[in-house]
Coordinates of all heavy atoms in Angstrom, one line a residue:
A9 N -62.7 -78.0 58.4 CA -63.7 -78.7 59.2 C -63.0 -79.9 59.9 O -62.0 -80.4 59.5 CB -64.8 -79.2 58.2
H10 N -63.7 -80.4 61.0 CA -63.0 -81.4 61.8 C -62.8 -82.7 61.0 O -61.8 -83.4 61.3 CB -63.8 -81.6 63.1 CG -65.2 -82.2 62.9 ND1 -66.3 -81.5 62.5 CD2 -65.6 -83.5 63.0 CE1 -67.3 -82.3 62.4 NE2 -66.9 -83.5 62.7
L11 N -63.7 -83.1 60.1 CA -63.5 -84.3 59.3 C -62.2 -84.1 58.5 O -61.4 -85.1 58.4 CB -64.7 -84.5 58.4 CG -64.5 -85.6 57.3 CD1 -64.4 -87.0 58.0 CD2 -65.6 -85.6 56.3
F12 N -62.0 -83.0 57.9 CA -60.8 -82.8 57.0 C -59.5 -82.8 57.8 O -58.5 -83.1 57.3 CB -61.0 -81.5 56.2 CG -62.1 -81.6 55.2 CD1 -63.5 -81.4 55.6 CD2 -61.9 -81.8 53.9 CE1 -64.5 -81.5 54.7 CE2 -62.9 -81.8 52.9 CZ -64.2 -81.7 53.3
R13 N -59.6 -82.3 59.1 CA -58.4 -82.2 59.9 C -58.1 -83.5 60.6 O -57.0 -83.9 60.8 CB -58.5 -81.0 60.9 CG -58.5 -79.7 60.2 CD -58.4 -78.5 61.2 NE -59.7 -78.4 61.9 CZ -59.8 -78.4 63.2 NH1 -58.7 -78.5 63.9 NH2 -61.0 -78.2 63.8
R14 N -59.2 -84.2 61.0 CA -59.0 -85.4 61.8 C -58.8 -86.6 60.9 O -58.1 -87.5 61.2 CB -60.2 -85.6 62.8 CG -60.0 -86.7 63.8 CD -58.9 -86.3 64.8 NE -58.7 -87.4 65.8 CZ -59.1 -87.4 67.0 NH1 -59.9 -86.4 67.4 NH2 -58.9 -88.4 67.8
H15 N -59.6 -86.7 59.8 CA -59.6 -87.8 58.9 C -59.4 -87.3 57.5 O -60.3 -87.4 56.7 CB -60.9 -88.6 59.1 CG -61.2 -89.0 60.5 ND1 -60.6 -90.0 61.2 CD2 -62.2 -88.5 61.3 CE1 -61.1 -90.1 62.4 NE2 -62.1 -89.2 62.5
P16 N -58.2 -86.8 57.1 CA -58.1 -86.3 55.8 C -58.3 -87.3 54.6 O -58.8 -86.9 53.6 CB -56.6 -85.7 55.8 CG -56.0 -86.5 56.9 CD -57.0 -86.7 57.9
L17 N -57.9 -88.5 54.8 CA -58.1 -89.5 53.7 C -59.6 -89.8 53.5 O -60.0 -90.0 52.4 CB -57.3 -90.8 54.0 CG -55.8 -90.6 54.0 CD1 -55.1 -92.0 54.4 CD2 -55.3 -90.2 52.7
T18 N -60.3 -89.9 54.6 CA -61.7 -90.1 54.5 C -62.4 -88.9 53.8 O -63.3 -89.1 53.0 CB -62.3 -90.3 55.9 OG1 -61.7 -91.4 56.5 CG2 -63.8 -90.6 55.8
A19 N -61.9 -87.7 54.2 CA -62.5 -86.5 53.5 C -62.2 -86.6 52.0 O -63.1 -86.2 51.2 CB -61.9 -85.3 54.1
L20 N -61.0 -87.1 51.6 CA -60.7 -87.2 50.2 C -61.6 -88.2 49.5 O -62.0 -88.0 48.4 CB -59.3 -87.5 50.0 CG -58.3 -86.4 50.3 CD1 -56.8 -87.0 50.2 CD2 -58.4 -85.3 49.4
A21 N -62.0 -89.3 50.2 CA -62.9 -90.2 49.7 C -64.3 -89.6 49.4 O -64.9 -89.9 48.4 CB -63.0 -91.5 50.6
G22 N -64.7 -88.8 50.4 CA -66.0 -88.1 50.1 C -65.9 -87.1 49.0 O -66.8 -86.9 48.2
L23 N -64.8 -86.4 49.0 CA -64.6 -85.4 47.9 C -64.5 -86.1 46.5 O -64.9 -85.5 45.5 CB -63.3 -84.6 48.1 CG -63.3 -83.5 49.1 CD1 -61.9 -83.0 49.4 CD2 -64.2 -82.3 48.6
Y24 N -64.0 -87.3 46.5 CA -64.0 -88.0 45.2 C -65.4 -88.2 44.7 O -65.7 -88.1 43.5 CB -63.3 -89.4 45.4 CG -63.0 -90.1 44.1 CD1 -62.1 -89.6 43.2 CD2 -63.7 -91.3 43.8 CE1 -61.9 -90.2 42.0 CE2 -63.4 -92.0 42.6 CZ -62.5 -91.4 41.7 OH -62.3 -92.1 40.6
S25 N -66.4 -88.5 45.6 CA -67.8 -88.6 45.1 C -68.3 -87.3 44.6 O -69.0 -87.2 43.6 CB -68.6 -89.1 46.3 OG -68.2 -90.4 46.8
L26 N -68.0 -86.2 45.3 CA -68.4 -84.9 44.9 C -67.8 -84.5 43.6 O -68.5 -84.0 42.7 CB -68.1 -83.9 46.0 CG -68.5 -82.4 45.7 CD1 -70.0 -82.3 45.7 CD2 -67.9 -81.5 46.7
F27 N -66.5 -84.8 43.5 CA -65.8 -84.4 42.2 C -66.4 -85.2 41.0 O -66.5 -84.7 39.9 CB -64.3 -84.7 42.3 CG -63.6 -83.7 43.2 CD1 -64.2 -82.6 43.8 CD2 -62.2 -83.9 43.4 CE1 -63.5 -81.7 44.5 CE2 -61.5 -82.9 44.1 CZ -62.2 -81.9 44.7
S28 N -66.7 -86.5 41.3 CA -67.3 -87.2 40.2 C -68.7 -86.7 39.8 O -69.0 -86.7 38.6 CB -67.4 -88.7 40.6 OG -67.6 -89.6 39.5
L29 N -69.5 -86.3 40.8 CA -70.8 -85.7 40.5 C -70.6 -84.4 39.7 O -71.4 -84.1 38.8 CB -71.5 -85.5 41.8 CG -73.0 -85.0 41.7 CD1 -73.8 -86.2 41.1 CD2 -73.5 -84.6 43.1
A30 N -69.6 -83.7 40.0 CA -69.4 -82.4 39.3 C -68.6 -82.6 37.9 O -68.5 -81.6 37.2 CB -68.6 -81.5 40.2
G31 N -68.2 -83.8 37.6 CA -67.6 -84.0 36.3 C -66.1 -83.5 36.3 O -65.6 -83.2 35.2
V32 N -65.4 -83.5 37.4 CA -64.0 -83.2 37.4 C -63.2 -84.1 36.6 O -63.4 -85.4 36.7 CB -63.5 -83.1 38.9 CG1 -62.0 -82.9 38.9 CG2 -64.2 -82.1 39.7
P33 N -62.3 -83.7 35.7 CA -61.6 -84.6 34.8 C -60.8 -85.6 35.6 O -60.2 -85.3 36.6 CB -60.6 -83.6 34.1 CG -61.4 -82.3 34.1 CD -62.1 -82.2 35.4
G34 N -60.8 -86.9 35.1 CA -60.2 -88.0 35.8 C -61.1 -88.8 36.6 O -60.7 -89.9 37.0
T35 N -62.3 -88.4 36.9 CA -63.3 -89.1 37.6 C -64.3 -89.8 36.7 O -64.5 -89.4 35.6 CB -64.1 -88.2 38.6 OG1 -64.8 -87.2 37.8 CG2 -63.2 -87.5 39.6
P36 N -64.9 -90.9 37.1 CA -65.8 -91.6 36.3 C -67.0 -90.7 35.8 O -67.5 -90.9 34.7 CB -66.3 -92.8 37.1 CG -65.2 -93.0 38.1 CD -64.6 -91.7 38.4
G37 N -67.4 -89.8 36.7 CA -68.5 -89.0 36.3 C -68.3 -88.0 35.2 O -69.2 -87.6 34.5
A38 N -67.0 -87.7 34.9 CA -66.6 -86.8 33.8 C -67.0 -87.4 32.5 O -67.2 -86.7 31.5 CB -65.2 -86.5 33.9
T39 N -67.1 -88.8 32.4 CA -67.4 -89.4 31.1 C -68.8 -89.1 30.7 O -69.1 -89.0 29.4 CB -67.3 -90.9 31.2 OG1 -68.1 -91.4 32.2 CG2 -65.8 -91.3 31.6
F40 N -69.7 -88.8 31.6 CA -71.1 -88.5 31.2 C -71.2 -87.1 30.6 O -71.9 -86.8 29.7 CB -72.0 -88.6 32.4 CG -72.1 -90.0 32.9 CD1 -71.5 -90.4 34.1 CD2 -72.8 -91.0 32.3 CE1 -71.5 -91.6 34.6 CE2 -72.8 -92.3 32.7 CZ -72.2 -92.6 33.9
W41 N -70.4 -86.2 31.3 CA -70.3 -84.8 30.7 C -69.7 -84.8 29.4 O -70.2 -84.2 28.4 CB -69.5 -83.9 31.7 CG -70.1 -83.7 33.0 CD1 -70.2 -84.5 34.1 CD2 -70.8 -82.5 33.5 NE1 -70.8 -83.9 35.2 CE2 -71.2 -82.7 34.8 CE3 -71.0 -81.3 32.9 CZ2 -71.8 -81.7 35.5 CZ3 -71.7 -80.3 33.6 CH2 -72.1 -80.5 34.9
L42 N -68.5 -85.5 29.2 CA -67.8 -85.5 28.0 C -68.6 -86.2 26.9 O -68.6 -85.9 25.7 CB -66.5 -86.1 28.1 CG -65.5 -85.4 29.0 CD1 -64.2 -86.2 29.2 CD2 -65.1 -84.0 28.4
G43 N -69.3 -87.3 27.3 CA -70.1 -88.1 26.3 C -71.2 -87.2 25.7 O -71.5 -87.2 24.5
L44 N -71.9 -86.4 26.6 CA -72.9 -85.6 26.1 C -72.3 -84.5 25.2 O -72.9 -84.1 24.2 CB -73.7 -84.9 27.3 CG -74.7 -83.9 27.0 CD1 -75.8 -84.5 26.0 CD2 -75.4 -83.3 28.2
A45 N -71.2 -83.9 25.6 CA -70.6 -82.8 24.8 C -70.2 -83.4 23.4 O -70.5 -82.7 22.4 CB -69.3 -82.3 25.5
R46 N -69.7 -84.6 23.4 CA -69.4 -85.2 22.1 C -70.7 -85.3 21.2 O -70.6 -85.0 20.0 CB -68.7 -86.5 22.3 CG -68.2 -87.1 21.0 CD -67.5 -88.5 21.3 NE -66.4 -88.3 22.2 CZ -66.4 -88.8 23.5 NH1 -67.4 -89.4 23.9 NH2 -65.3 -88.6 24.3
V47 N -71.8 -85.8 21.8 CA -73.0 -86.0 21.0 C -73.5 -84.6 20.6 O -74.0 -84.5 19.4 CB -74.0 -86.7 21.9 CG1 -75.4 -86.7 21.2 CG2 -73.6 -88.1 22.2
L48 N -73.5 -83.6 21.4 CA -74.0 -82.3 21.0 C -73.2 -81.7 19.9 O -73.7 -81.0 19.0 CB -74.0 -81.4 22.2 CG -74.9 -81.7 23.4 CD1 -74.8 -80.8 24.5 CD2 -76.4 -81.8 22.9
V49 N -71.9 -81.9 19.9 CA -71.0 -81.5 18.8 C -71.4 -82.2 17.5 O -71.5 -81.5 16.4 CB -69.5 -81.7 19.1 CG1 -68.7 -81.4 17.9 CG2 -69.1 -80.8 20.3
E50 N -71.6 -83.5 17.6 CA -72.0 -84.2 16.4 C -73.4 -83.8 15.8 O -73.6 -83.7 14.6 CB -72.1 -85.7 16.7 CG -70.7 -86.3 17.0 CD -70.8 -87.8 17.5 OE1 -72.0 -88.2 17.6 OE2 -69.8 -88.4 17.7
R51 N -74.3 -83.4 16.7 CA -75.6 -83.0 16.3 C -75.7 -81.5 15.9 O -76.7 -81.1 15.4 CB -76.6 -83.3 17.5 CG -76.7 -84.7 17.9 CD -77.4 -85.6 16.8 NE -77.7 -86.9 17.3 CZ -76.9 -88.0 17.1 NH1 -75.8 -87.9 16.4 NH2 -77.3 -89.2 17.6
G52 N -74.6 -80.8 16.2 CA -74.7 -79.4 16.0 C -75.5 -78.5 16.9 O -76.0 -77.5 16.5
S53 N -75.8 -79.0 18.1 CA -76.6 -78.3 19.1 C -75.7 -77.3 19.9 O -75.3 -77.6 21.0 CB -77.3 -79.3 20.0 OG -78.0 -80.2 19.3
R54 N -75.5 -76.2 19.2 CA -74.5 -75.2 19.9 C -75.1 -74.6 21.1 O -74.4 -74.3 22.1 CB -74.2 -74.1 18.8 CG -73.3 -74.6 17.7 CD -73.0 -73.6 16.7 NE -74.3 -73.3 15.9 CZ -74.3 -72.4 14.9 NH1 -73.3 -71.8 14.5 NH2 -75.5 -72.3 14.3
G55 N -76.4 -74.3 21.1 CA -77.0 -73.7 22.3 C -76.9 -74.6 23.5 O -76.5 -74.1 24.6

């Protein structure tokens, strides 16, 4: 896409938001996914 070819760093800034929303490891949003997984393991909620 033209944003990615003309302004690659800006595209990476936008991708960082998307990655964090998706819980990609290393982003702040991943802590919510991992935090819930840890709680579910402690509670034994396998489903």
Side-chain angles (χ1 to χ4, degrees):
H10 66 279
L11 170 70
F12 293 77
R13 291 187 289 125
R14 189 68 182 257
H15 309 286
L17 292 179
T18 303
L20 288 175
L23 280 170
Y24 189 66
S25 299
L26 179 67
F27 286 0
S28 193
L29 188 66
V32 174
T35 61
T39 59
F40 300 105
W41 294 77
L42 292 174
L44 175 59
R46 187 178 300 111
V47 170
L48 294 178
V49 170
E50 293 174 355
R51 301 290 189 260
S53 302
R54 288 175 292 182

